[in-house]
Amino acid sequence: MSFGAQAHAQASGDPVTISALHKRFGALEVLKGIDMAIGAGKTVGVIGPSGSGKSTLVRCINHLEPIQQGRISVGVNGTTVTARGVENAGRVLSQGEVARYRAQIGMVFQSFNLFPHLTVLGNILTAPVGVLKRDKKAMIEKGMELLGKVNLQDKAKTYPAHLSGGQQQRVAIVRALMMDPKVMLFDEPTSALDPELTGEVLKVIAELAIRGRTTIIVTHELAFARDIADAIVFMDNGKIVEEGTPDEVLGNPKMERTRAFIGKMA
Amino acid sequence: MSLERLGRMLWEYREVLLSGIWVTIELAFISMLIAMVVGLLACFGSLSRSRILRAPAILFVEFCRNTPILVQLVWVHFAWPELLGFKFTAWTSAMIALALQSSGYLAEEFRAGIESIDKGQIEASQSLGMTYVRLMAFIVVPQAFIRMIPGILNQFVTCFKSTSIVSVIAVPDLMYQAQLIVTATFLPMPVYTVVALMYFLMVFGVSVGVRRLTLLLPNFGYFQTRKEAPAA
């Protein structure tokens, strides 16, 4: 299945193609043959009950979870995640090369995962300066500009322990954006937040993070997914049950299982 | 024995006692420094995914932890020269044995500290393109170090106290010098009492000093969160 496969010429994101993906934890098969093609710059919302494999799916894309079968291609230079690891032109990449592959893919976690021993500025500078070897002065400027956009410019020298959950997640988004990722993965970015703090994070995702990037967002915020996604995928028990435009899947679901899930969430 | 006589005797043997104190302090600090480096290497070895690195590292750690310090001391001093073909001075043997003993315990201390860091920290570092070496050096170890400090301090105290055993191979530490003074004066009670007090003051002084120093380390706001309400 494909979403926006005829990609926008002006989009800066990379296409993501997943085919026949299987993921097992021991005897437990968590992903049972996932196929998905996401055009460059498109946004896909992944919804589904807990344990359906949504989070595992996004974690496989940047190889945080090794896969047992199938392929995931990101971008156009032929880098592919397979059961052997991350490959390019048939060669399994070294750990350093896998790290460079991951650097092109931004990821935002449910539990923020900010580095508690670094200030906000330290958190957002450590990878672009240390990994990408970008000029520190230029990165500070860029970082402060992005922090300004998420209303956290005055928190640059604050440690994460002094920030609210919503503020921490906004910093985590800025930290990912500092790497200029072509693809953004969001793994339930608002699930750990109090309801009154989710709005500020969703606003940042919609207005700052997605723009032009290929985005896969796992979320329970159905209204938000409907607003921002080009396509919605409903997963259950390791399989894609239904997919289509937000209006199709959320407005007029064909499958009974999807209807039941959406009914419960409403 | 009157206090005056005790004072005179201590004054008479001041140089011997001071040189013993110096050897003890020197041994404790140098062996501990070496043990920290070796312990860190052994820790990374035991955490490695490669069996070739992991197996010898675990064996080393377990050997260091499960052999008595006296046995290690005698083994290094009398067996190593035959195995390696060259001799060490008694001081070097003592330093190696103390470092061996401490490095085993420190490796376990470091491993526990590193493993206590949330997996999410490693995943966040990986997703930002960090290699294993970089994420260990800049993200995991700095956070783990704060948690390791009490364990390192405990091991230092143990190492300091263990130095008293090196007199067995004739290293002129404080205990060795005390034995010499006792041989010369036939006054074991006052001499050993004073020496016990000296050890207590040195070890206690170091513990308090290091604990004070650790309070000066940055705590990254860990301890202030309850007092200051986070901004909304």
Side-chain angles (χ1 to χ4, degrees):
Chain A
M1 37 223 67
S2 84
F3 308 113
Q6 53 285 53
H8 294 193
Q10 74 274 21
S12 62
D14 274 342
V16 176
T17 312
I18 302 170
S19 51
L21 171 63
H22 288 260
K23 165 71 193 172
R24 281 182 287 274
F25 291 106
L28 181 71
E29 189 166 30
V30 182
L31 297 176
K32 301 169 181 169
I34 302 287
D35 291 290
M36 203 188 271
I38 307 158
K42 294 290 174 184
T43 298
V44 171
V46 182
I47 61 169
S50 296
S52 57
K54 318 179 291 291
S55 291
T56 308
L57 174 66
V58 291
R59 290 162 59 82
C60 289
I61 294 171
N62 64 353
H63 197 53
L64 282 184
E65 294 290 353
I67 66 173
Q68 277 74 42
Q69 214 178 311
R71 304 174 77 78
I72 303 168
S73 307
V74 176
V76 286
N77 64 357
T79 307
T80 307
V81 178
T82 69
R84 296 203 300 158
V86 185
E87 291 181 34
N88 195 310
R91 184 177 67 86
V92 179
L93 302 187
S94 68
Q95 285 196 8
E97 289 168 317
V98 172
R100 276 202 289 283
Y101 164 75
R102 288 195 183 113
Q104 306 166 41
I105 303 171
M107 183 153 189
V108 175
F109 299 85
Q110 182 179 344
S111 49
F112 330 132
N113 294 342
L114 291 185
F115 306 131
H117 63 303
L118 301 177
T119 59
V120 165
L121 200 57
N123 264 278
I124 64 176
L125 289 182
T126 184
V129 174
V131 175
L132 301 179
K133 309 290 178 211
R134 299 226 170 114
D135 177 55
K136 191 172 178 183
K137 239 181 175 181
M139 285 302 106
I140 293 176
E141 222 167 88
K142 181 180 172 180
M144 291 308 288
E145 190 194 325
L146 281 172
L147 285 176
K149 285 185 178 167
V150 300
N151 290 325
L152 288 172
Q153 209 158 14
D154 57 328
K155 300 287 182 192
K157 292 192 172 140
T158 306
Y159 284 101
H162 290 217
L163 299 177
S164 70
Q167 289 172 326
Q168 289 194 47
Q169 194 61 301
R170 281 183 278 159
V171 174
I173 294 169
V174 169
R175 182 173 68 175
L177 294 181
M178 287 292 286
M179 303 292 281
D180 291 325
K182 298 279 180 68
V183 175
M184 278 296 288
L185 308 173
F186 291 90
D187 184 8
E188 301 195 30
T190 57
S191 294
L193 297 175
D194 291 338
E196 68 265 30
L197 298 180
T198 55
E200 63 189 51
V201 172
L202 295 179
K203 193 163 171 258
V204 168
I205 295 173
E207 292 176 4
L208 193 65
I210 290 180
R211 305 188 153 236
R213 296 180 185 90
T214 310
T215 304
I216 300 171
I217 177 162
V218 174
T219 185
H220 290 298
E221 302 284 337
L222 299 189
F224 174 70
R226 190 171 195 155
D227 283 348
I228 56 143
D230 297 299
I232 299 285
V233 168
F234 172 67
M235 283 181 68
D236 189 22
N237 198 23
K239 287 181 186 156
I240 293 178
V241 174
E242 187 165 354
E243 62 198 287
T245 64
D247 282 342
E248 285 166 0
V249 179
L250 299 172
N252 188 22
K254 290 186 189 69
M255 309 297 285
E256 179 50 40
R257 184 69 193 91
T258 319
R259 270 200 293 275
F261 175 75
I262 293 168
K264 257 189 223 161
M265 297 294 286
Chain B
M1 185 186 206
S2 71
L3 274 177
E4 198 200 335
R5 259 190 76 193
L6 178 66
R8 248 186 294 141
M9 185 192 71
L10 288 177
W11 183 251
E12 196 182 326
Y13 289 102
R14 66 187 181 282
E15 281 181 18
V16 177
L17 287 169
L18 281 174
S19 81
I21 288 172
W22 176 243
V23 169
T24 295
I25 291 175
E26 200 180 28
L27 255 182
F29 275 88
I30 294 178
S31 352
M32 192 64 187
L33 267 180
I34 293 171
M36 283 179 71
V37 176
V38 177
L40 199 62
L41 291 175
C43 157
F44 282 122
S46 65
L47 288 172
S48 167
R49 266 181 275 177
S50 151
R51 198 181 288 180
I52 298 167
L53 291 175
R54 199 171 62 238
I58 291 173
L59 193 69
F60 171 79
V61 169
E62 291 308 323
F63 176 80
C64 293
R65 278 158 34 101
N66 295 304
T67 41
I69 177 68
L70 180 59
V71 174
Q72 285 180 0
L73 183 68
V74 173
W75 179 61
V76 169
H77 191 57
F78 296 108
W80 279 28
E82 269 193 52
L83 292 170
L84 300 175
F86 54 89
K87 274 196 112 173
F88 306 112
T89 61
W91 192 93
T92 311
S93 299
M95 189 267 293
I96 293 171
L98 286 167
L100 267 184
Q101 176 91 358
S102 294
S103 58
Y105 283 101
L106 284 175
E108 281 299 277
E109 204 63 60
F110 294 154
R111 192 184 56 77
I114 285 171
E115 285 184 340
S116 74
I117 299 301
D118 181 41
K119 207 175 152 224
Q121 292 288 305
I122 294 169
E123 291 183 344
S125 312
Q126 287 177 323
S127 75
L128 288 165
M130 292 191 201
T131 57
Y132 179 76
V133 173
R134 172 168 287 276
L135 72 89
M136 275 293 160
F138 293 97
I139 306 300
V140 176
V141 173
Q143 289 183 55
F145 182 71
I146 301 285
R147 300 182 190 185
M148 292 169 191
I149 288 172
I152 295 173
L153 182 57
N154 273 342
Q155 189 49 45
F156 182 66
V157 168
T158 305
C159 176
F160 207 110
K161 289 189 287 187
S162 300
T163 56
S164 61
I165 214 161
V166 300
S167 56
V168 169
I169 57 166
V171 176
D173 74 322
L174 180 57
M175 192 61 199
Y176 181 85
Q177 304 294 25
Q179 285 162 356
L180 286 189
I181 298 170
V182 169
T183 315
T185 60
F186 301 107
L187 293 168
M189 191 280 285
V191 172
Y192 287 136
T193 306
V194 166
V195 165
L197 258 174
M198 282 176 167
Y199 271 109
F200 169 73
L201 287 175
M202 283 193 289
V203 175
F204 186 67
V206 167
S207 314
V208 171
V210 176
R211 225 172 284 148
R212 284 272 161 92
L213 273 179
T214 56
L215 291 179
L216 299 177
L217 286 169
N219 65 39
F220 318 127
Y222 283 144
F223 310 122
Q224 293 164 34
T225 43
R226 284 188 193 168
K227 286 182 195 161
E228 293 174 24

